[in-house]
Amino acid sequence: MSTTEAAPARRGRPGYDRDGMLAVIVEAFNDHGYDATSLGIIAQRLGLSKSAVYHHFSSKEEMLELALEKALGSLQEVFDAPEAASGPIDMRIRHVLRGAVTVACGQLPYLTLLLRLRGNTDVERRAMQRRRELDQRLRRLFELARDDDSVRDDIDPGLAERLTFGMVNSIVEWYRPEGPLSPEQLADAVVAFVRSGLRVSETRDFR
Amino acid sequence: MSTTEAAPARRGRPGYDRDGMLAVIVEAFNDHGYDATSLGIIAQRLGLSKSAVYHHFSSKEEMLELALEKALGSLQEVFDAPEAASGPIDMRIRHVLRGAVTVACGQLPYLTLLLRLRGNTDVERRAMQRRRELDQRLRRLFELARDDDSVRDDIDPGLAERLTFGMVNSIVEWYRPEGPLSPEQLADAVVAFVRSGLRVSETRDFR
């Protein structure tokens, strides 16, 4: 898993930019857990000395913050887009779902890092707080949808949000960019699933 | 989080049975990660000496194996039940979904442990293999449902299985037994979501 993605063939050579370094670092965080990833491990993976690493990043916390920003900033953009702010509520939800799936596929290691945080440092706690605020924004959309009767009223908007994000977030567990499914196809499938479920039959007589 | 559940008030006192010890141990595994949980940490949490711990468990791997069995054995029972083996395919899927949600709620810390395995030991790899086999059994049910046209054909059965188990497994991230939602209510909501999605409208004209 750790060797297939981000494959930085130029490990430690000139031309290794900060983003490229961050990709290697986040891989180390995901393999060992943030707490257990020493600067020694990071320097070794980058093929650099510790002091060379410190030339680019002031601390391990700064690396974490930058890595988390990739996931959180991208998700925030999705929610801040005009398509999420106005128009029929159903289309606003669709925009957010498609955007969240696209972020999951495109920022996969960074979202993985975000989802596995344990909250042991301030940086982690701030990121978890931002994640909760985004959760609440999806919940708010489901509340609006319930208010205009476009979603079922037997599933609480908070529960709908949790199950929906649970489904979307699970994508990081198995999605591989080199696999058969494009992010767009996956986004279509998730939107379809969330909207109308898996059944062909439209009857709702048993539950 | 770690102190609310399993609350073993009799920590280290007589009457502490193997299951009670296991509940404390799995909490330690989930807090620190299996690899990072030393026998010292376990003994301290149990309020026992290391040799007393060894009186009950032959090794840390045995503890892991017993803990994982709680989740895997329960899930396996769900799939092995007669309700999963015969009858209308829709009801077989319903049985499995309800059972999986019930296991997620009832064996919460044990399922959490299973879902976070990294596969560094034989015990972990065997458990992950058993988990994959259960995934495949749900996938097989979705294949059967597609064959008799009871689920939509624009979502591949493998993808349907992943998104569905993604939703179900995410329950361990937030479900609290002392919260407002009973396992039965949550199972109803998941079955409803998976079957027919969140929308009230039955039209499927945009996607």
Side-chain angles (χ1 to χ4, degrees):
Chain A
M1 171 180 167
S2 58
T3 51
T4 50
E5 59 213 3
R10 310 146 308 164
R11 201 161 277 200
R13 296 188 202 154
Y16 214 37
D17 66 5
R18 214 163 120 114
D19 254 21
M21 296 175 75
L22 209 55
V24 175
I25 292 165
V26 79
E27 220 178 79
F29 287 163
N30 285 335
D31 287 348
H32 301 279
Y34 172 68
D35 290 331
T37 307
S38 65
L39 193 74
I41 292 176
I42 291 169
Q44 194 189 15
R45 290 221 184 188
L46 289 167
L48 294 173
S49 67
K50 288 187 193 181
S51 62
V53 176
Y54 274 131
H55 179 71
H56 295 276
F57 302 96
S58 66
S59 65
K60 209 176 86 168
E61 285 227 313
E62 193 197 8
M63 299 171 195
L64 178 66
E65 195 155 24
L66 289 167
L68 292 171
E69 182 57 36
K70 286 197 175 272
L72 283 166
S74 302
L75 284 171
Q76 204 137 6
E77 274 175 32
V78 168
F79 278 97
D80 289 345
E83 297 92 324
S86 64
I89 186 65
D90 193 56
M91 297 308 281
R92 292 170 65 186
I93 291 173
R94 177 180 187 275
H95 169 81
V96 166
L97 290 183
R98 290 192 61 87
V101 171
T102 307
V103 171
C105 297
Q107 309 288 345
L108 202 146
Y110 303 98
L111 186 62
T112 302
L113 181 68
L114 176 66
L115 297 175
R116 289 189 191 161
L117 291 183
R118 288 167 186 258
N120 292 330
T121 65
D122 276 347
V123 170
E124 288 174 82
R125 283 186 290 269
R126 275 200 305 276
M128 291 164 82
Q129 178 57 31
R130 280 177 69 191
R131 184 185 158 201
R132 275 192 296 273
E133 284 162 14
L134 297 173
D135 289 348
Q136 280 159 17
R137 289 175 76 172
L138 179 59
R139 179 194 183 133
R140 180 78 192 120
L141 291 177
F142 281 136
E143 282 169 355
L144 290 171
R146 189 190 48 182
D147 292 348
D148 82 355
D149 292 328
S150 57
V151 298
R152 62 195 309 154
D153 60 5
D154 60 344
I155 299 181
D156 169 78
L159 179 57
E161 174 268 304
R162 284 184 151 151
L163 294 175
T164 300
F165 262 146
M167 182 191 287
V168 171
N169 291 337
S170 75
I171 289 171
V172 304
E173 304 288 336
W174 56 268
Y175 185 75
R176 294 295 166 261
E178 67 277 12
L181 215 57
S182 72
E184 290 70 29
Q185 290 170 318
L186 184 52
D188 284 341
V190 168
V191 169
F193 193 145
V194 172
R195 280 183 164 166
S196 39
L198 295 180
R199 277 211 304 193
V200 167
S201 160
E202 304 293 53
T203 52
R204 288 207 182 121
D205 44 354
F206 36 24
R207 224 186 42 243
Chain B
M1 169 180 166
S2 56
T3 51
T4 50
E5 58 213 3
R10 309 147 308 163
R11 200 161 277 199
R13 295 187 202 153
Y16 214 37
D17 66 5
R18 214 163 120 113
D19 254 20
M21 296 175 75
L22 209 55
V24 176
I25 292 166
V26 79
E27 221 178 78
F29 287 164
N30 284 335
D31 286 349
H32 300 279
Y34 171 70
D35 290 330
T37 308
S38 65
L39 194 73
I41 292 176
I42 292 169
Q44 193 188 16
R45 290 220 183 188
L46 289 167
L48 295 173
S49 68
K50 289 188 195 182
S51 63
V53 176
Y54 275 130
H55 179 70
H56 295 275
F57 301 95
S58 66
S59 64
K60 209 176 86 168
E61 286 228 311
E62 192 196 9
M63 299 171 194
L64 179 67
E65 195 156 24
L66 289 167
L68 291 172
E69 182 58 36
K70 287 199 175 272
L72 283 166
S74 302
L75 284 171
Q76 204 136 8
E77 274 175 32
V78 168
F79 277 97
D80 289 344
E83 297 91 324
S86 65
I89 186 66
D90 193 56
M91 297 308 282
R92 292 169 65 185
I93 292 173
R94 177 181 187 274
H95 169 82
V96 166
L97 290 183
R98 291 191 62 87
V101 171
T102 307
V103 171
C105 297
Q107 308 289 346
L108 203 146
Y110 303 99
L111 185 62
T112 302
L113 181 69
L114 176 66
L115 296 176
R116 289 189 192 161
L117 291 183
R118 289 167 184 258
N120 292 330
T121 64
D122 276 347
V123 170
E124 287 174 81
R125 283 187 289 269
R126 275 201 304 276
M128 290 165 83
Q129 178 56 32
R130 278 177 70 189
R131 184 186 158 202
R132 275 192 296 272
E133 284 163 13
L134 296 173
D135 290 348
Q136 280 159 16
R137 289 174 76 172
L138 179 58
R139 179 194 184 133
R140 180 80 192 117
L141 290 177
F142 281 134
E143 282 168 355
L144 291 171
R146 191 191 47 184
D147 291 348
D148 82 355
D149 291 328
S150 58
V151 298
R152 60 196 307 153
D153 61 5
D154 60 343
I155 298 181
D156 170 79
L159 180 56
E161 174 269 304
R162 285 183 149 151
L163 294 175
T164 300
F165 263 146
M167 182 191 286
V168 171
N169 291 336
S170 74
I171 289 171
V172 303
E173 304 287 337
W174 56 268
Y175 186 76
R176 295 293 166 263
E178 66 278 13
L181 214 58
S182 72
E184 290 69 30
Q185 290 170 317
L186 184 53
D188 283 342
V190 168
V191 169
F193 193 146
V194 171
R195 280 184 164 166
S196 40
L198 296 179
R199 277 211 305 192
V200 167
S201 160
E202 304 294 52
T203 52
R204 288 208 182 124
D205 44 351
F206 36 23
R207 229 187 34 242

